[in-house]
Amino acid sequence: MDFRRWAAGAAVLLSAGMLANCSQIFGGGEGEGVTTAMLVGADGDTANWISHGRTYSEQRYSPLEGVNRENVGQLGLAWYADMDTGRGQEATPLVIDGKLYLTTAWSKVKAFDATTGKPLWEYDPKVPGETAVKACCDVVNRGLAAYGDKLFFGTLDGRLIALDRNTGGVLWEKVTVDQSKSYTITGAPRVIDGKVIIGNGGAEFGVRGFVAAYDANDGAQLWKFYTVPEGKQGDDAPAYLQKAAETWNMDVLGANDAIGGGGTVWDSMAYDPELDLLYIGVGNGSPWNRAYRSPAKDGSGGEGDNLYLSSIVAIRPKTGEYVWHYQTTPGETWDFTATQHIMLADMEIDGKLRKVLMQAPKNGFFYVIDRETGKFISAKPYVGLNWATGIDPKTGRPIENPETRVDRTGKPAMVLPGPLGGHNWHPMAFSPKEKLVYIPAFEAGMLYAPLANWKPDTARGFNVGFDFAGNLPPDGGFRQQAAGTLKGRLVAWDPVAQKARWTVEHPGPWNGGLLATGGGLVFQGTTGSEFNAYDAGTGKKLWSFAAQTGVVAPPITYTVNGEQYVAVLAGWGGAYALSVDGDLINRKAPVRNISRLLVFKLGGTAKLPPPPPLADLPLDPPPSTASPEVIAVGQAKYGRYCAVCHAPGAVGSTVLPDLRRAGALESAATWQTVVHDGALKDRGMASFAGSLSKEEIEAIRAYVIKRANEDKALEAGKKIARR
């Protein structure tokens, strides 16, 4: 018997309602746990949420309709649980047999009774605090995988850990990366036929990307699939990597430890059991600037498609064998990853039922691809963009705007989307009833300024080949204009017609992932500290809850004893919260981090405690006395080593300290103790002694003091004007 076809057929019966409870046919009690058949047939299990996207197709759609358009106004808080960290929360919870499991920032794991919120157990892998400097985009974690009686998750420092689902005890632990390099894990694993599959991040720092499979029983590595060729690659390399090598300057790739090529598989995966294909999304190049990563032999800039960067790749989950790929951004140079949510569906296109794969990657185009062959079907912009004018329908390649090819021109260019994309990691959702994909989209362009004579640094900081030292002047009018370019929206996208059906505008970018339900609802949290329900057909807001914090994680829904619940992990953070000028964020929607799990049901009556006041420390820096030359050095070093976490212009967010207001600014000795000696390494601020001299560290302090005084004067001017 073909097991996969049998399981797929059982899933059809389940979804048709012919079997009342999948656990009756597939097991699922405390003894047997989660089986392969349960994962394949997850669409028919409306009680639980047993894998990251609920099903292998990653549609994030639940047929549940107990909460619906007519009664969603009665939705109330059933219970909540505060988290023990004030960093970004991005995880999708799992629910199995009335118990809820989730990961939090710093790779911690917690278990709760799904109806009452009673804590059951928790586990802290004790990730070293200094690992934070290896993470491009906050110390986040996006979730767990379940198989048998085990839960699997990755840690920020690159471990894959299996826990006993009932006790939280460690069953096995495997280091999956070279921990001497800046690899991290923030994404959720997937399990296919007893194989735990996990990727990693770190392309901003110079690593070489891969995805690997481990045995669910003991953690033994089964296969590893590299996404870019090796610098000193031999003739025995797999054929797919030999093919990739033809698209790189192999004399440069791997010549330095900080030019590993990138291509990390840090988030999205999907699986088709019938085709037995695993689809992975591959990230950006390392460094970003292709002129340094894969320079042209004639010195004219960057060259080559650089496979398999920014690609969707289909592989065999049993062996890691390459099957096909589609590259969304050939020779990418803007951090246009294809690691964004991959979703599978069967839909009629031009009168023919097609097995398709859909993705809205960072580059701003929504793609529909044949998932059997990797053949391009269609692509249209889902946000405003200027790097390309369209996608060639015959070749599937972008029609590029040459002015934005900064790796060839060597000149700065304002590019839309910017490195955060038109869509980032936040999951989409698909409603088969409405035939719409719901996209958490946004617009946030960036000035890409190539650095002349750039050299990589293997110790600390981004290795991207662009200048992050650019500074927004302390002028309120300019900032107001810049804030006007930051837009966030919920887009209901028709993937067949390739156009928006409806759009909801949000206060700003970086809004939450999505959930669609059979009750005709779409749930999403926002930067504006709300958790909302919309009509899936029209976009009308039907319900809203004041979450007290920005919500970026995606919701889930489940039932226990026939009662439907909706849950979401709230807590502001992530790349946008850290790397964007804090004043621009606050002009859109002032937001702070209050990390907690929120769980709702019809008639819920629980109440949140009053939020703490949103107040900044006073802006009272020491006088700026350093020379312009010292301040200029400080600005350049701040841009390379500090801006990614503490924001451009030193205008921090409410997640990490605003350095303009830091007490250490008063004392050169204290500043050196923190930045040079690593006094706060356990809190995420590692030593930069290997990358910055004491003189350069003091220059950074001088630059921050100058910026603080500029903004203090601006605030004083506003107060005088109000009088």
Side-chain angles (χ1 to χ4, degrees):
M1 174 183 286
D2 186 329
F3 172 77
R4 291 189 178 88
R5 291 187 181 277
W6 174 86
V12 172
L13 292 176
L14 286 162
S15 62
M18 298 181 70
L19 294 172
N21 187 334
C22 90
S23 64
Q24 294 175 357
I25 209 75
F26 291 145
E30 296 267 325
E32 185 177 9
V34 175
T35 65
T36 294
M38 288 174 65
L39 290 167
V40 172
D43 192 51
D45 179 6
T46 57
N48 299 307
W49 190 288
I50 64 172
S51 67
H52 189 61
R54 184 172 172 270
T55 65
Y56 278 141
S57 65
E58 301 280 328
Q59 292 183 6
R60 291 185 176 263
Y61 170 81
S62 170
L64 289 174
E65 53 188 17
V67 180
N68 53 54
R69 292 183 177 100
E70 286 69 38
N71 64 17
V72 68
Q74 302 170 33
L75 202 62
L77 188 66
W79 58 271
Y80 69 90
D82 288 321
M83 301 295 110
D84 58 353
T85 170
R87 300 295 292 268
Q89 305 294 345
E90 299 184 355
T92 298
L94 300 184
V95 176
I96 306 168
D97 299 331
K99 297 177 181 178
L100 185 149
Y101 309 93
L102 60 85
T103 57
T104 76
W106 290 109
S107 315
K108 299 179 181 181
V109 187
K110 297 179 183 293
F112 300 91
D113 183 296
T115 60
T116 66
K118 176 185 175 182
L120 301 176
W121 55 259
E122 61 183 37
Y123 173 73
D124 181 357
K126 300 190 182 305
V127 172
E130 57 193 307
T131 308
V133 299
K134 295 183 177 182
C136 75
C137 311
D138 208 350
V139 294
V140 297
N141 190 285
R142 297 190 193 92
L144 300 146
Y147 192 73
D149 58 0
K150 300 180 182 70
L151 295 173
F152 308 93
F153 71 104
T155 65
L156 194 69
D157 58 348
R159 290 171 284 158
L160 180 64
I161 298 177
L163 301 180
D164 184 297
R165 180 159 56 89
N166 298 308
T167 67
V170 176
L171 298 175
W172 55 257
E173 179 176 312
K174 178 77 173 182
V175 175
T176 69
V177 300
D178 180 347
Q179 291 182 315
S180 70
K181 298 182 178 180
S182 290
Y183 282 103
T184 54
I185 296 177
T186 57
R190 308 299 198 276
V191 179
I192 300 172
D193 288 340
K195 299 170 184 63
V196 187
I197 300 167
I198 189 69
N200 44 64
E204 278 65 44
F205 303 89
V207 305
R208 181 189 182 202
F210 63 88
V211 62
Y214 299 85
D215 188 292
N217 291 319
D218 57 14
Q221 182 177 300
L222 301 174
W223 54 257
K224 180 182 286 189
F225 181 94
Y226 282 102
T227 57
V228 299
E230 188 175 18
K232 299 177 182 179
Q233 185 165 281
D235 295 336
D236 58 344
Y240 82 94
L241 286 179
Q242 294 185 37
K243 178 180 178 181
E246 298 171 3
T247 68
W248 287 79
N249 183 328
M250 294 299 291
D251 293 335
V252 172
L253 183 64
N256 184 294
D257 280 346
I259 303 181
T264 49
V265 183
W266 55 264
D267 194 43
S268 61
M269 289 183 268
Y271 174 58
D272 184 327
E274 185 177 351
L275 298 175
D276 192 28
L277 289 178
L278 168 68
Y279 308 96
I280 62 171
V282 183
N284 55 279
S286 179
W288 293 0
N289 191 335
R290 189 178 57 161
Y292 291 113
R293 182 180 76 234
S294 185
K297 299 267 187 357
D298 61 3
S300 60
E303 72 172 13
D305 286 352
N306 292 178
L307 293 174
Y308 295 90
L309 301 181
S310 301
S311 298
I312 299 163
V313 183
I315 60 181
R316 297 291 180 198
K318 183 177 181 179
T319 61
E321 174 193 358
Y322 165 89
V323 180
W324 61 254
H325 78 276
Y326 173 80
Q327 191 170 40
T328 59
T329 312
E332 83 86 25
T333 199
W334 307 278
D335 188 24
F336 283 173
T337 63
T339 51
Q340 284 55 57
H341 186 179
I342 293 172
M343 181 185 293
L344 313 181
D346 297 346
M347 56 183 56
E348 186 175 318
I349 299 175
D350 296 330
K352 182 181 178 181
L353 189 65
R354 302 287 296 270
K355 294 180 181 295
V356 305
L357 176 153
M358 298 178 287
Q359 189 187 50
K362 279 188 184 181
N363 72 16
F365 289 95
F366 186 93
Y367 291 84
V368 180
I369 308 295
D370 187 303
R371 71 174 184 268
E372 293 186 83
T373 64
K375 182 180 179 181
F376 172 81
I377 296 175
S378 65
K380 293 291 183 183
Y382 63 90
V383 292
L385 52 85
N386 70 352
W387 72 277
T389 58
I391 305 295
D392 187 304
K394 294 183 178 179
T395 65
R397 295 177 67 91
I399 305 167
E400 295 179 353
N401 172 5
E403 294 181 0
T404 64
R405 259 294 172 191
V406 291
D407 59 315
R408 290 198 181 121
T409 67
K411 300 177 181 178
M414 179 62 71
V415 181
L416 189 71
L420 293 177
H423 168 223
N424 207 278
W425 66 268
H426 315 76
M428 307 182 296
F430 174 71
S431 170
K433 285 187 174 182
E434 302 292 340
K435 295 181 172 58
L436 293 174
V437 176
Y438 304 95
I439 312 171
F442 57 88
E443 293 184 10
M446 190 181 99
L447 181 68
Y448 289 80
L451 272 172
N453 302 312
W454 172 82
K455 300 295 182 185
D457 183 344
T458 58
R460 289 282 183 259
F462 270 25
N463 284 304
V464 297
F466 288 113
D467 183 6
F468 285 172
N471 192 11
L472 288 175
D475 173 76
F478 182 89
R479 276 208 172 92
Q480 190 65 48
Q481 183 180 5
T485 67
L486 300 175
K487 301 176 182 179
R489 57 179 66 99
L490 166 57
V491 178
W493 190 261
D494 183 331
V496 177
Q498 283 284 18
K499 63 181 181 181
R501 181 87 57 83
W502 53 258
T503 300
V504 173
E505 297 293 333
H506 290 317
W510 213 247
N511 300 287
L514 291 151
L515 165 69
T517 74
L521 299 172
V522 173
F523 289 92
Q524 184 187 32
T526 74
T527 299
S529 298
E530 293 181 340
F531 181 51
N532 299 326
Y534 303 91
D535 186 303
T538 67
K540 179 181 179 181
K541 186 191 290 188
L542 301 177
W543 172 83
S544 184
F545 178 83
Q548 301 183 354
T549 184
V551 182
V552 295
I556 67 164
T557 188
Y558 59 92
T559 64
V560 180
N561 297 324
E563 185 166 38
Q564 184 177 352
Y565 295 81
V566 177
V568 67
L569 188 57
W572 177 242
Y576 178 77
L578 301 187
S579 62
V580 173
D581 183 302
D583 186 69
L584 296 181
I585 294 175
N586 289 334
R587 285 171 181 266
K588 286 293 184 181
V591 61
R592 91 288 305 276
N593 180 290
I594 304 175
S595 292
R596 59 169 57 114
L597 176 67
L598 305 172
V599 181
F600 304 87
K601 69 177 182 178
L602 294 177
T605 59
K607 303 291 183 184
L608 295 179
L614 184 63
D616 282 326
L617 294 170
L619 194 58
D620 189 22
S624 179
T625 59
S627 69
E629 292 77 14
V630 169
I631 290 172
V633 170
Q635 178 175 342
K637 296 301 180 182
Y638 179 94
R640 174 147 192 187
Y641 293 101
C642 312
V644 67
C645 287
H646 294 282
V651 185
S653 70
T654 55
V655 178
L656 290 181
D658 183 337
L659 296 183
R660 299 170 305 159
R661 307 172 194 274
L665 207 59
E666 296 281 349
S667 167
T670 302
W671 189 267
Q672 291 286 344
T673 299
V674 173
V675 183
H676 184 273
D677 300 341
L680 299 180
K681 68 177 183 178
D682 291 340
R683 294 167 56 183
M685 180 60 198
S687 166
F688 279 74
S691 299
L692 295 167
S693 68
K694 289 188 174 182
E695 291 75 17
E696 290 168 334
I697 291 171
E698 175 59 17
I700 291 173
R701 187 177 80 97
Y703 166 67
V704 176
I705 289 172
K706 180 234 183 190
R707 285 291 302 110
N709 277 280
E710 289 175 335
D711 288 341
K712 181 180 179 181
L714 184 62
E715 287 186 1
K718 290 179 181 178
K719 291 179 180 178
I720 293 173
R722 284 196 293 269
R723 293 176 189 166

